[in-house]
Amino acid sequence: MKKGFWNLIGKVPVLVLAVAVGPVAMADGPAVQSGSAAPPASPPSQSGPIQLIAMDSNTYDANMVPSAVPPAPVAPAPASAEACAPVCAPACSPSCFSSPSCFCGCDGGCTFKFSPDSWCNVGAGIRTSFDSQSGTNVVDRNYFAVDEARLFFTGKVTKVIGFELNTDISGAGGLGFREVSNSTNLEGLPATIHLLDAIVKFEFNDYANIWIGRMLPPNDRSDLSGPFFINGWDYPFVSNYPGIFEGRDDGVAYWGQWLGQNGGQFKWQFGLYNGQGRFAAGDDWPIGPANSPNTNGDPEFVMRVVANLLDPEPGYYNASTYYGEKNIAAIGFSLTRQADAMSSAGGRVGSFFGWNLDFLLENKMTAYGSGTFEAAYYRYDVGGDVAQDVAGSAYLLFAGWLLPQQIGCEGFCGRFRPYARYQWYDRADYTVAAANEDAKEEWDLGTQFVIKGHNARIDTFYGHQELDGGGHDNLFRTGVQLIF
């Protein structure tokens, strides 16, 4: 064991001590975290505000938000150290309820209402971290990073027609392991704000919803959770589907849901997208040669079906954990297919075919806590004997346990959630994978301090990654996530 490993491990007690600053209060019984509960079926109240809905994913979709006039603001109750109640600012000033009216909820975002069926929700999300690395060909060993800095805009123009417009920084997502430098990013874009989502939504009922524009294709649970709602901090590298920026693509999707409160017991999603192979470089996955293979403009087809055996997950998106607010037993199957998607320097052209099965199991908070188990299997195939490092099989395993005891108060009250995650990727073309030093195996051990569900959490973990070709990398990361 290298000496550097123990130096990194030695930092953990210091960070844990810093997280636990403040008086310690043990709750009389398990309390439900705010920020992830299902949206109310009745008009929202101060205890159930309109939720932030525009983000990588959330259980709240635009068509789920009631169109009732927001209530008048209610002064927040004083924080109780014994109950560990979160601190919440007043909803809005009284003048805000003239025209247009607005409602700012404690759980995130402000909704501006212009008419009974016309409103806009505004919010923001930030993820920032400190990273310390060692290993093969590591360039930047200690650095701070802004992983995401997003602005969210979601709303309705009529009762049926809605929209979603989200932005992020151009270098969003971070490189996690093996950061190249702090001045460049994966897309080679200047350091500026970049378009994330731009969706026009026609939402008629639970069974008929059509989205058009730039969006997340329904590739798997991780894609529909995004970095703000996955179980760990770094996005899993085994989820290797095409995308132009942060997994997005331009296209059209039809989706629906059946059964359960607000739907979501059974969901289906189908989409056609531009996919890959249309561009020479810069805005494609993977970056291809000068002559793009998809000269016929063959679209990419993506489909997904999900069965929730216990509590439903309504809406287009999902989360990978609900922090003890739901009993989840969900099974999902996704399929992606595109002709003339990839090419090699020798002029060969091949199709792309990928599918995956994913499973999520989680229990509501009890006196013993809330456990989460996630598993996923991936299979990627590329035709035409194209030399690349995508084809192969992969899987992901995650286990975490949210402790029932709340620690700290006065706006810094939360629970610890230790976790472990393992990933493995067996690439079919080992020669290309070794030349690119692709990741083949990774395990992460860490803990989260969950303050307000996905809206406020701190994540600290140590990860070890083995590379094709014999190299390895180690990463120690502490990140903070906030959503308003």
Side-chain angles (χ1 to χ4, degrees), residues 224-260:
L224 292 175
S225 295
F228 283 90
F229 295 88
I230 58 175
N231 273 308
W233 182 268
D234 289 335
Y235 190 82
F237 71 86
V238 293
S239 180
N240 197 16
Y241 288 101
I244 53 179
F245 178 69
E246 289 284 276
R248 271 66 178 176
D249 206 345
D250 299 335
V252 58
Y254 157 73
W255 67 275
Q257 55 189 1
W258 180 53
L259 294 178

PDB file of all heavy atoms in Angstrom, residues 224-260:
ATOM      1  N   LEU A 224     -31.334   9.734 -16.329  1.00  0.00           N
ATOM      2  CA  LEU A 224     -32.552  10.436 -15.937  1.00  0.00           C
ATOM      3  C   LEU A 224     -32.477  10.955 -14.510  1.00  0.00           C
ATOM      4  O   LEU A 224     -33.418  11.595 -14.033  1.00  0.00           O
ATOM      5  CB  LEU A 224     -33.758   9.512 -16.107  1.00  0.00           C
ATOM      6  CG  LEU A 224     -34.092   9.154 -17.562  1.00  0.00           C
ATOM      7  CD1 LEU A 224     -35.223   8.138 -17.616  1.00  0.00           C
ATOM      8  CD2 LEU A 224     -34.442  10.388 -18.373  1.00  0.00           C
ATOM      9  N   SER A 225     -31.379  10.676 -13.811  1.00  0.00           N
ATOM     10  CA  SER A 225     -31.125  11.262 -12.493  1.00  0.00           C
ATOM     11  C   SER A 225     -30.179  12.441 -12.609  1.00  0.00           C
ATOM     12  O   SER A 225     -30.392  13.489 -12.004  1.00  0.00           O
ATOM     13  CB  SER A 225     -30.533  10.217 -11.538  1.00  0.00           C
ATOM     14  OG  SER A 225     -31.446   9.193 -11.271  1.00  0.00           O
ATOM     15  N   GLY A 226     -29.111  12.269 -13.407  1.00  0.00           N
ATOM     16  CA  GLY A 226     -28.138  13.337 -13.560  1.00  0.00           C
ATOM     17  C   GLY A 226     -27.283  13.506 -12.321  1.00  0.00           C
ATOM     18  O   GLY A 226     -27.510  12.865 -11.289  1.00  0.00           O
ATOM     19  N   PRO A 227     -26.283  14.359 -12.354  1.00  0.00           N
ATOM     20  CA  PRO A 227     -25.335  14.476 -11.245  1.00  0.00           C
ATOM     21  C   PRO A 227     -25.961  14.924  -9.930  1.00  0.00           C
ATOM     22  O   PRO A 227     -25.468  14.576  -8.862  1.00  0.00           O
ATOM     23  CB  PRO A 227     -24.318  15.510 -11.752  1.00  0.00           C
ATOM     24  CG  PRO A 227     -25.049  16.277 -12.815  1.00  0.00           C
ATOM     25  CD  PRO A 227     -25.962  15.281 -13.456  1.00  0.00           C
ATOM     26  N   PHE A 228     -27.058  15.691  -9.992  1.00  0.00           N
ATOM     27  CA  PHE A 228     -27.674  16.171  -8.761  1.00  0.00           C
ATOM     28  C   PHE A 228     -28.465  15.093  -8.030  1.00  0.00           C
ATOM     29  O   PHE A 228     -28.750  15.227  -6.848  1.00  0.00           O
ATOM     30  CB  PHE A 228     -28.602  17.360  -9.048  1.00  0.00           C
ATOM     31  CG  PHE A 228     -27.892  18.652  -9.286  1.00  0.00           C
ATOM     32  CD1 PHE A 228     -27.496  19.024 -10.569  1.00  0.00           C
ATOM     33  CD2 PHE A 228     -27.605  19.508  -8.236  1.00  0.00           C
ATOM     34  CE1 PHE A 228     -26.841  20.228 -10.791  1.00  0.00           C
ATOM     35  CE2 PHE A 228     -26.950  20.718  -8.448  1.00  0.00           C
ATOM     36  CZ  PHE A 228     -26.563  21.070  -9.728  1.00  0.00           C
ATOM     37  N   PHE A 229     -28.832  14.016  -8.719  1.00  0.00           N
ATOM     38  CA  PHE A 229     -29.747  13.034  -8.131  1.00  0.00           C
ATOM     39  C   PHE A 229     -29.237  11.599  -8.207  1.00  0.00           C
ATOM     40  O   PHE A 229     -29.988  10.662  -7.964  1.00  0.00           O
ATOM     41  CB  PHE A 229     -31.120  13.142  -8.800  1.00  0.00           C
ATOM     42  CG  PHE A 229     -31.794  14.459  -8.545  1.00  0.00           C
ATOM     43  CD1 PHE A 229     -31.561  15.532  -9.377  1.00  0.00           C
ATOM     44  CD2 PHE A 229     -32.624  14.626  -7.469  1.00  0.00           C
ATOM     45  CE1 PHE A 229     -32.157  16.757  -9.142  1.00  0.00           C
ATOM     46  CE2 PHE A 229     -33.241  15.840  -7.215  1.00  0.00           C
ATOM     47  CZ  PHE A 229     -33.001  16.917  -8.053  1.00  0.00           C
ATOM     48  N   ILE A 230     -27.971  11.393  -8.566  1.00  0.00           N
ATOM     49  CA  ILE A 230     -27.404  10.052  -8.502  1.00  0.00           C
ATOM     50  C   ILE A 230     -27.009   9.741  -7.073  1.00  0.00           C
ATOM     51  O   ILE A 230     -27.010  10.602  -6.199  1.00  0.00           O
ATOM     52  CB  ILE A 230     -26.192   9.911  -9.450  1.00  0.00           C
ATOM     53  CG1 ILE A 230     -25.118  10.943  -9.113  1.00  0.00           C
ATOM     54  CG2 ILE A 230     -26.622   9.996 -10.904  1.00  0.00           C
ATOM     55  CD1 ILE A 230     -23.845  10.795  -9.911  1.00  0.00           C
ATOM     56  N   ASN A 231     -26.617   8.493  -6.826  1.00  0.00           N
ATOM     57  CA  ASN A 231     -26.287   8.070  -5.473  1.00  0.00           C
ATOM     58  C   ASN A 231     -24.910   8.534  -5.020  1.00  0.00           C
ATOM     59  O   ASN A 231     -24.722   8.872  -3.858  1.00  0.00           O
ATOM     60  CB  ASN A 231     -26.379   6.546  -5.366  1.00  0.00           C
ATOM     61  CG  ASN A 231     -27.790   6.090  -5.030  1.00  0.00           C
ATOM     62  OD1 ASN A 231     -28.390   6.557  -4.075  1.00  0.00           O
ATOM     63  ND2 ASN A 231     -28.325   5.194  -5.837  1.00  0.00           N
ATOM     64  N   GLY A 232     -23.921   8.527  -5.909  1.00  0.00           N
ATOM     65  CA  GLY A 232     -22.597   9.011  -5.562  1.00  0.00           C
ATOM     66  C   GLY A 232     -22.416  10.453  -5.988  1.00  0.00           C
ATOM     67  O   GLY A 232     -23.379  11.194  -6.207  1.00  0.00           O
ATOM     68  N   TRP A 233     -21.157  10.876  -6.118  1.00  0.00           N
ATOM     69  CA  TRP A 233     -20.882  12.237  -6.585  1.00  0.00           C
ATOM     70  C   TRP A 233     -20.559  12.245  -8.072  1.00  0.00           C
ATOM     71  O   TRP A 233     -21.188  12.946  -8.853  1.00  0.00           O
ATOM     72  CB  TRP A 233     -19.721  12.851  -5.799  1.00  0.00           C
ATOM     73  CG  TRP A 233     -19.418  14.268  -6.198  1.00  0.00           C
ATOM     74  CD1 TRP A 233     -18.518  14.687  -7.149  1.00  0.00           C
ATOM     75  CD2 TRP A 233     -20.041  15.450  -5.689  1.00  0.00           C
ATOM     76  NE1 TRP A 233     -18.538  16.063  -7.256  1.00  0.00           N
ATOM     77  CE2 TRP A 233     -19.464  16.562  -6.363  1.00  0.00           C
ATOM     78  CE3 TRP A 233     -21.003  15.691  -4.718  1.00  0.00           C
ATOM     79  CZ2 TRP A 233     -19.829  17.878  -6.093  1.00  0.00           C
ATOM     80  CZ3 TRP A 233     -21.378  17.013  -4.456  1.00  0.00           C
ATOM     81  CH2 TRP A 233     -20.793  18.078  -5.138  1.00  0.00           C
ATOM     82  N   ASP A 234     -19.565  11.456  -8.499  1.00  0.00           N
ATOM     83  CA  ASP A 234     -19.186  11.419  -9.909  1.00  0.00           C
ATOM     84  C   ASP A 234     -20.179  10.577 -10.706  1.00  0.00           C
ATOM     85  O   ASP A 234     -20.651   9.532 -10.248  1.00  0.00           O
ATOM     86  CB  ASP A 234     -17.780  10.827 -10.075  1.00  0.00           C
ATOM     87  CG  ASP A 234     -16.712  11.779  -9.582  1.00  0.00           C
ATOM     88  OD1 ASP A 234     -16.959  12.994  -9.556  1.00  0.00           O
ATOM     89  OD2 ASP A 234     -15.627  11.289  -9.200  1.00  0.00           O
ATOM     90  N   TYR A 235     -20.459  11.024 -11.922  1.00  0.00           N
ATOM     91  CA  TYR A 235     -21.340  10.264 -12.808  1.00  0.00           C
ATOM     92  C   TYR A 235     -20.670   8.939 -13.161  1.00  0.00           C
ATOM     93  O   TYR A 235     -19.480   8.894 -13.458  1.00  0.00           O
ATOM     94  CB  TYR A 235     -21.613  11.079 -14.064  1.00  0.00           C
ATOM     95  CG  TYR A 235     -22.693  10.488 -14.929  1.00  0.00           C
ATOM     96  CD1 TYR A 235     -24.034  10.718 -14.633  1.00  0.00           C
ATOM     97  CD2 TYR A 235     -22.375   9.693 -16.018  1.00  0.00           C
ATOM     98  CE1 TYR A 235     -25.030  10.175 -15.416  1.00  0.00           C
ATOM     99  CE2 TYR A 235     -23.361   9.145 -16.808  1.00  0.00           C
ATOM    100  CZ  TYR A 235     -24.692   9.382 -16.499  1.00  0.00           C
ATOM    101  OH  TYR A 235     -25.680   8.826 -17.274  1.00  0.00           O
ATOM    102  N   PRO A 236     -21.403   7.819 -13.135  1.00  0.00           N
ATOM    103  CA  PRO A 236     -20.776   6.511 -13.411  1.00  0.00           C
ATOM    104  C   PRO A 236     -20.255   6.396 -14.840  1.00  0.00           C
ATOM    105  O   PRO A 236     -20.994   6.676 -15.792  1.00  0.00           O
ATOM    106  CB  PRO A 236     -21.911   5.519 -13.135  1.00  0.00           C
ATOM    107  CG  PRO A 236     -23.176   6.315 -13.261  1.00  0.00           C
ATOM    108  CD  PRO A 236     -22.835   7.702 -12.812  1.00  0.00           C
ATOM    109  N   PHE A 237     -18.989   5.977 -14.987  1.00  0.00           N
ATOM    110  CA  PHE A 237     -18.402   5.897 -16.329  1.00  0.00           C
ATOM    111  C   PHE A 237     -18.946   4.715 -17.126  1.00  0.00           C
ATOM    112  O   PHE A 237     -18.795   4.666 -18.350  1.00  0.00           O
ATOM    113  CB  PHE A 237     -16.867   5.821 -16.235  1.00  0.00           C
ATOM    114  CG  PHE A 237     -16.318   4.538 -15.711  1.00  0.00           C
ATOM    115  CD1 PHE A 237     -16.083   3.462 -16.556  1.00  0.00           C
ATOM    116  CD2 PHE A 237     -16.006   4.387 -14.368  1.00  0.00           C
ATOM    117  CE1 PHE A 237     -15.556   2.265 -16.081  1.00  0.00           C
ATOM    118  CE2 PHE A 237     -15.481   3.207 -13.867  1.00  0.00           C
ATOM    119  CZ  PHE A 237     -15.253   2.135 -14.734  1.00  0.00           C
ATOM    120  N   VAL A 238     -19.596   3.746 -16.471  1.00  0.00           N
ATOM    121  CA  VAL A 238     -20.142   2.597 -17.195  1.00  0.00           C
ATOM    122  C   VAL A 238     -21.387   2.973 -17.986  1.00  0.00           C
ATOM    123  O   VAL A 238     -21.784   2.248 -18.904  1.00  0.00           O
ATOM    124  CB  VAL A 238     -20.462   1.444 -16.223  1.00  0.00           C
ATOM    125  CG1 VAL A 238     -19.177   0.879 -15.621  1.00  0.00           C
ATOM    126  CG2 VAL A 238     -21.415   1.893 -15.122  1.00  0.00           C
ATOM    127  N   SER A 239     -22.027   4.096 -17.662  1.00  0.00           N
ATOM    128  CA  SER A 239     -23.148   4.592 -18.450  1.00  0.00           C
ATOM    129  C   SER A 239     -22.568   5.384 -19.615  1.00  0.00           C
ATOM    130  O   SER A 239     -22.276   6.573 -19.507  1.00  0.00           O
ATOM    131  CB  SER A 239     -24.053   5.481 -17.585  1.00  0.00           C
ATOM    132  OG  SER A 239     -25.139   5.972 -18.341  1.00  0.00           O
ATOM    133  N   ASN A 240     -22.393   4.729 -20.746  1.00  0.00           N
ATOM    134  CA  ASN A 240     -21.578   5.249 -21.846  1.00  0.00           C
ATOM    135  C   ASN A 240     -22.413   5.455 -23.106  1.00  0.00           C
ATOM    136  O   ASN A 240     -22.041   5.023 -24.194  1.00  0.00           O
ATOM    137  CB  ASN A 240     -20.414   4.278 -22.121  1.00  0.00           C
ATOM    138  CG  ASN A 240     -19.313   4.927 -22.939  1.00  0.00           C
ATOM    139  OD1 ASN A 240     -19.251   6.149 -23.064  1.00  0.00           O
ATOM    140  ND2 ASN A 240     -18.435   4.116 -23.497  1.00  0.00           N
ATOM    141  N   TYR A 241     -23.547   6.128 -22.956  1.00  0.00           N
ATOM    142  CA  TYR A 241     -24.410   6.406 -24.106  1.00  0.00           C
ATOM    143  C   TYR A 241     -24.019   7.733 -24.746  1.00  0.00           C
ATOM    144  O   TYR A 241     -23.430   8.598 -24.099  1.00  0.00           O
ATOM    145  CB  TYR A 241     -25.870   6.447 -23.657  1.00  0.00           C
ATOM    146  CG  TYR A 241     -26.427   5.085 -23.300  1.00  0.00           C
ATOM    147  CD1 TYR A 241     -26.550   4.701 -21.969  1.00  0.00           C
ATOM    148  CD2 TYR A 241     -26.812   4.196 -24.292  1.00  0.00           C
ATOM    149  CE1 TYR A 241     -27.059   3.449 -21.636  1.00  0.00           C
ATOM    150  CE2 TYR A 241     -27.323   2.945 -23.969  1.00  0.00           C
ATOM    151  CZ  TYR A 241     -27.446   2.579 -22.644  1.00  0.00           C
ATOM    152  OH  TYR A 241     -27.942   1.345 -22.317  1.00  0.00           O
ATOM    153  N   PRO A 242     -24.374   7.921 -26.032  1.00  0.00           N
ATOM    154  CA  PRO A 242     -23.981   9.157 -26.727  1.00  0.00           C
ATOM    155  C   PRO A 242     -24.720  10.373 -26.203  1.00  0.00           C
ATOM    156  O   PRO A 242     -25.821  10.285 -25.657  1.00  0.00           O
ATOM    157  CB  PRO A 242     -24.356   8.869 -28.184  1.00  0.00           C
ATOM    158  CG  PRO A 242     -25.407   7.820 -28.111  1.00  0.00           C
ATOM    159  CD  PRO A 242     -25.060   6.972 -26.933  1.00  0.00           C
ATOM    160  N   GLY A 243     -24.094  11.526 -26.375  1.00  0.00           N
ATOM    161  CA  GLY A 243     -24.694  12.789 -25.979  1.00  0.00           C
ATOM    162  C   GLY A 243     -23.827  13.931 -26.473  1.00  0.00           C
ATOM    163  O   GLY A 243     -22.619  13.785 -26.652  1.00  0.00           O
ATOM    164  N   ILE A 244     -24.442  15.116 -26.691  1.00  0.00           N
ATOM    165  CA  ILE A 244     -23.669  16.245 -27.203  1.00  0.00           C
ATOM    166  C   ILE A 244     -23.157  17.137 -26.084  1.00  0.00           C
ATOM    167  O   ILE A 244     -22.139  17.777 -26.226  1.00  0.00           O
ATOM    168  CB  ILE A 244     -24.497  17.069 -28.217  1.00  0.00           C
ATOM    169  CG1 ILE A 244     -25.843  17.482 -27.625  1.00  0.00           C
ATOM    170  CG2 ILE A 244     -24.711  16.284 -29.492  1.00  0.00           C
ATOM    171  CD1 ILE A 244     -26.696  18.320 -28.553  1.00  0.00           C
ATOM    172  N   PHE A 245     -23.866  17.212 -24.951  1.00  0.00           N
ATOM    173  CA  PHE A 245     -23.402  17.989 -23.810  1.00  0.00           C
ATOM    174  C   PHE A 245     -24.156  17.502 -22.588  1.00  0.00           C
ATOM    175  O   PHE A 245     -25.380  17.551 -22.543  1.00  0.00           O
ATOM    176  CB  PHE A 245     -23.641  19.490 -24.028  1.00  0.00           C
ATOM    177  CG  PHE A 245     -23.227  20.351 -22.853  1.00  0.00           C
ATOM    178  CD1 PHE A 245     -21.889  20.500 -22.527  1.00  0.00           C
ATOM    179  CD2 PHE A 245     -24.180  21.003 -22.081  1.00  0.00           C
ATOM    180  CE1 PHE A 245     -21.506  21.289 -21.445  1.00  0.00           C
ATOM    181  CE2 PHE A 245     -23.804  21.797 -21.008  1.00  0.00           C
ATOM    182  CZ  PHE A 245     -22.464  21.933 -20.682  1.00  0.00           C
ATOM    183  N   GLU A 246     -23.419  17.001 -21.600  1.00  0.00           N
ATOM    184  CA  GLU A 246     -24.018  16.485 -20.380  1.00  0.00           C
ATOM    185  C   GLU A 246     -25.121  15.466 -20.662  1.00  0.00           C
ATOM    186  O   GLU A 246     -26.147  15.414 -19.989  1.00  0.00           O
ATOM    187  CB  GLU A 246     -24.589  17.637 -19.552  1.00  0.00           C
ATOM    188  CG  GLU A 246     -23.532  18.534 -18.916  1.00  0.00           C
ATOM    189  CD  GLU A 246     -22.897  17.870 -17.710  1.00  0.00           C
ATOM    190  OE1 GLU A 246     -23.457  17.941 -16.622  1.00  0.00           O
ATOM    191  OE2 GLU A 246     -21.817  17.256 -17.905  1.00  0.00           O
ATOM    192  N   GLY A 247     -24.908  14.624 -21.701  1.00  0.00           N
ATOM    193  CA  GLY A 247     -25.846  13.550 -22.012  1.00  0.00           C
ATOM    194  C   GLY A 247     -27.057  13.949 -22.815  1.00  0.00           C
ATOM    195  O   GLY A 247     -27.914  13.113 -23.116  1.00  0.00           O
ATOM    196  N   ARG A 248     -27.167  15.243 -23.192  1.00  0.00           N
ATOM    197  CA  ARG A 248     -28.341  15.694 -23.934  1.00  0.00           C
ATOM    198  C   ARG A 248     -28.245  15.346 -25.414  1.00  0.00           C
ATOM    199  O   ARG A 248     -27.184  15.046 -25.935  1.00  0.00           O
ATOM    200  CB  ARG A 248     -28.507  17.207 -23.800  1.00  0.00           C
ATOM    201  CG  ARG A 248     -29.344  17.655 -22.612  1.00  0.00           C
ATOM    202  CD  ARG A 248     -28.710  17.338 -21.329  1.00  0.00           C
ATOM    203  NE  ARG A 248     -29.530  17.839 -20.211  1.00  0.00           N
ATOM    204  CZ  ARG A 248     -29.238  17.637 -18.946  1.00  0.00           C
ATOM    205  NH1 ARG A 248     -28.161  16.950 -18.613  1.00  0.00           N
ATOM    206  NH2 ARG A 248     -30.020  18.096 -17.995  1.00  0.00           N
ATOM    207  N   ASP A 249     -29.414  15.435 -26.088  1.00  0.00           N
ATOM    208  CA  ASP A 249     -29.471  15.291 -27.538  1.00  0.00           C
ATOM    209  C   ASP A 249     -30.704  16.009 -28.043  1.00  0.00           C
ATOM    210  O   ASP A 249     -31.654  16.250 -27.286  1.00  0.00           O
ATOM    211  CB  ASP A 249     -29.498  13.815 -27.949  1.00  0.00           C
ATOM    212  CG  ASP A 249     -28.943  13.596 -29.348  1.00  0.00           C
ATOM    213  OD1 ASP A 249     -28.810  14.590 -30.105  1.00  0.00           O
ATOM    214  OD2 ASP A 249     -28.632  12.443 -29.699  1.00  0.00           O
ATOM    215  N   ASP A 250     -30.700  16.370 -29.324  1.00  0.00           N
ATOM    216  CA  ASP A 250     -31.825  17.055 -29.947  1.00  0.00           C
ATOM    217  C   ASP A 250     -32.761  16.028 -30.568  1.00  0.00           C
ATOM    218  O   ASP A 250     -32.319  15.156 -31.325  1.00  0.00           O
ATOM    219  CB  ASP A 250     -31.343  18.015 -31.037  1.00  0.00           C
ATOM    220  CG  ASP A 250     -30.432  19.104 -30.489  1.00  0.00           C
ATOM    221  OD1 ASP A 250     -30.544  19.418 -29.287  1.00  0.00           O
ATOM    222  OD2 ASP A 250     -29.603  19.629 -31.259  1.00  0.00           O
ATOM    223  N   GLY A 251     -34.059  16.140 -30.264  1.00  0.00           N
ATOM    224  CA  GLY A 251     -34.992  15.172 -30.819  1.00  0.00           C
ATOM    225  C   GLY A 251     -36.396  15.361 -30.296  1.00  0.00           C
ATOM    226  O   GLY A 251     -36.784  16.440 -29.831  1.00  0.00           O
ATOM    227  N   VAL A 252     -37.168  14.283 -30.349  1.00  0.00           N
ATOM    228  CA  VAL A 252     -38.555  14.290 -29.910  1.00  0.00           C
ATOM    229  C   VAL A 252     -38.800  13.033 -29.092  1.00  0.00           C
ATOM    230  O   VAL A 252     -38.253  11.964 -29.389  1.00  0.00           O
ATOM    231  CB  VAL A 252     -39.515  14.361 -31.119  1.00  0.00           C
ATOM    232  CG1 VAL A 252     -39.287  13.201 -32.078  1.00  0.00           C
ATOM    233  CG2 VAL A 252     -40.974  14.399 -30.652  1.00  0.00           C
ATOM    234  N   ALA A 253     -39.606  13.156 -28.039  1.00  0.00           N
ATOM    235  CA  ALA A 253     -39.889  12.023 -27.168  1.00  0.00           C
ATOM    236  C   ALA A 253     -41.376  11.958 -26.868  1.00  0.00           C
ATOM    237  O   ALA A 253     -42.038  12.993 -26.712  1.00  0.00           O
ATOM    238  CB  ALA A 253     -39.096  12.130 -25.871  1.00  0.00           C
ATOM    239  N   TYR A 254     -41.886  10.737 -26.813  1.00  0.00           N
ATOM    240  CA  TYR A 254     -43.245  10.483 -26.334  1.00  0.00           C
ATOM    241  C   TYR A 254     -43.137   9.654 -25.071  1.00  0.00           C
ATOM    242  O   TYR A 254     -42.381   8.679 -25.016  1.00  0.00           O
ATOM    243  CB  TYR A 254     -44.073   9.728 -27.384  1.00  0.00           C
ATOM    244  CG  TYR A 254     -45.238   8.984 -26.766  1.00  0.00           C
ATOM    245  CD1 TYR A 254     -46.365   9.672 -26.303  1.00  0.00           C
ATOM    246  CD2 TYR A 254     -45.204   7.603 -26.619  1.00  0.00           C
ATOM    247  CE1 TYR A 254     -47.420   8.999 -25.716  1.00  0.00           C
ATOM    248  CE2 TYR A 254     -46.263   6.914 -26.036  1.00  0.00           C
ATOM    249  CZ  TYR A 254     -47.367   7.612 -25.591  1.00  0.00           C
ATOM    250  OH  TYR A 254     -48.400   6.943 -24.989  1.00  0.00           O
ATOM    251  N   TRP A 255     -43.880  10.045 -24.017  1.00  0.00           N
ATOM    252  CA  TRP A 255     -43.846   9.267 -22.784  1.00  0.00           C
ATOM    253  C   TRP A 255     -45.200   9.306 -22.090  1.00  0.00           C
ATOM    254  O   TRP A 255     -46.022  10.180 -22.326  1.00  0.00           O
ATOM    255  CB  TRP A 255     -42.759   9.795 -21.846  1.00  0.00           C
ATOM    256  CG  TRP A 255     -42.987  11.175 -21.285  1.00  0.00           C
ATOM    257  CD1 TRP A 255     -42.670  12.364 -21.870  1.00  0.00           C
ATOM    258  CD2 TRP A 255     -43.593  11.493 -20.031  1.00  0.00           C
ATOM    259  NE1 TRP A 255     -43.038  13.410 -21.061  1.00  0.00           N
ATOM    260  CE2 TRP A 255     -43.600  12.920 -19.910  1.00  0.00           C
ATOM    261  CE3 TRP A 255     -44.110  10.737 -18.979  1.00  0.00           C
ATOM    262  CZ2 TRP A 255     -44.123  13.577 -18.803  1.00  0.00           C
ATOM    263  CZ3 TRP A 255     -44.628  11.390 -17.868  1.00  0.00           C
ATOM    264  CH2 TRP A 255     -44.627  12.789 -17.790  1.00  0.00           C
ATOM    265  N   GLY A 256     -45.406   8.313 -21.243  1.00  0.00           N
ATOM    266  CA  GLY A 256     -46.648   8.219 -20.498  1.00  0.00           C
ATOM    267  C   GLY A 256     -46.446   7.426 -19.222  1.00  0.00           C
ATOM    268  O   GLY A 256     -45.392   6.824 -18.990  1.00  0.00           O
ATOM    269  N   GLN A 257     -47.482   7.420 -18.407  1.00  0.00           N
ATOM    270  CA  GLN A 257     -47.408   6.711 -17.127  1.00  0.00           C
ATOM    271  C   GLN A 257     -48.795   6.222 -16.740  1.00  0.00           C
ATOM    272  O   GLN A 257     -49.816   6.757 -17.188  1.00  0.00           O
ATOM    273  CB  GLN A 257     -46.843   7.619 -16.049  1.00  0.00           C
ATOM    274  CG  GLN A 257     -47.583   8.928 -15.875  1.00  0.00           C
ATOM    275  CD  GLN A 257     -46.863   9.888 -14.937  1.00  0.00           C
ATOM    276  OE1 GLN A 257     -45.800   9.612 -14.416  1.00  0.00           O
ATOM    277  NE2 GLN A 257     -47.474  11.040 -14.703  1.00  0.00           N
ATOM    278  N   TRP A 258     -48.818   5.223 -15.843  1.00  0.00           N
ATOM    279  CA  TRP A 258     -50.074   4.575 -15.503  1.00  0.00           C
ATOM    280  C   TRP A 258     -50.038   4.148 -14.048  1.00  0.00           C
ATOM    281  O   TRP A 258     -49.008   3.663 -13.556  1.00  0.00           O
ATOM    282  CB  TRP A 258     -50.280   3.373 -16.431  1.00  0.00           C
ATOM    283  CG  TRP A 258     -51.541   2.601 -16.203  1.00  0.00           C
ATOM    284  CD1 TRP A 258     -52.816   3.090 -16.166  1.00  0.00           C
ATOM    285  CD2 TRP A 258     -51.652   1.188 -15.997  1.00  0.00           C
ATOM    286  NE1 TRP A 258     -53.720   2.073 -15.951  1.00  0.00           N
ATOM    287  CE2 TRP A 258     -53.032   0.890 -15.849  1.00  0.00           C
ATOM    288  CE3 TRP A 258     -50.728   0.156 -15.936  1.00  0.00           C
ATOM    289  CZ2 TRP A 258     -53.499  -0.400 -15.628  1.00  0.00           C
ATOM    290  CZ3 TRP A 258     -51.189  -1.146 -15.723  1.00  0.00           C
ATOM    291  CH2 TRP A 258     -52.562  -1.405 -15.574  1.00  0.00           C
ATOM    292  N   LEU A 259     -51.155   4.315 -13.364  1.00  0.00           N
ATOM    293  CA  LEU A 259     -51.350   3.893 -11.977  1.00  0.00           C
ATOM    294  C   LEU A 259     -50.525   4.712 -10.992  1.00  0.00           C
ATOM    295  O   LEU A 259     -49.583   5.408 -11.369  1.00  0.00           O
ATOM    296  CB  LEU A 259     -51.029   2.401 -11.799  1.00  0.00           C
ATOM    297  CG  LEU A 259     -51.953   1.410 -12.513  1.00  0.00           C
ATOM    298  CD1 LEU A 259     -51.458  -0.017 -12.270  1.00  0.00           C
ATOM    299  CD2 LEU A 259     -53.396   1.561 -12.065  1.00  0.00           C
ATOM    300  N   GLY A 260     -50.884   4.600  -9.727  1.00  0.00           N
ATOM    301  CA  GLY A 260     -50.163   5.281  -8.668  1.00  0.00           C
ATOM    302  C   GLY A 260     -50.624   6.712  -8.492  1.00  0.00           C
ATOM    303  O   GLY A 260     -51.260   7.308  -9.369  1.00  0.00           O
TER     304      GLY A 260
END
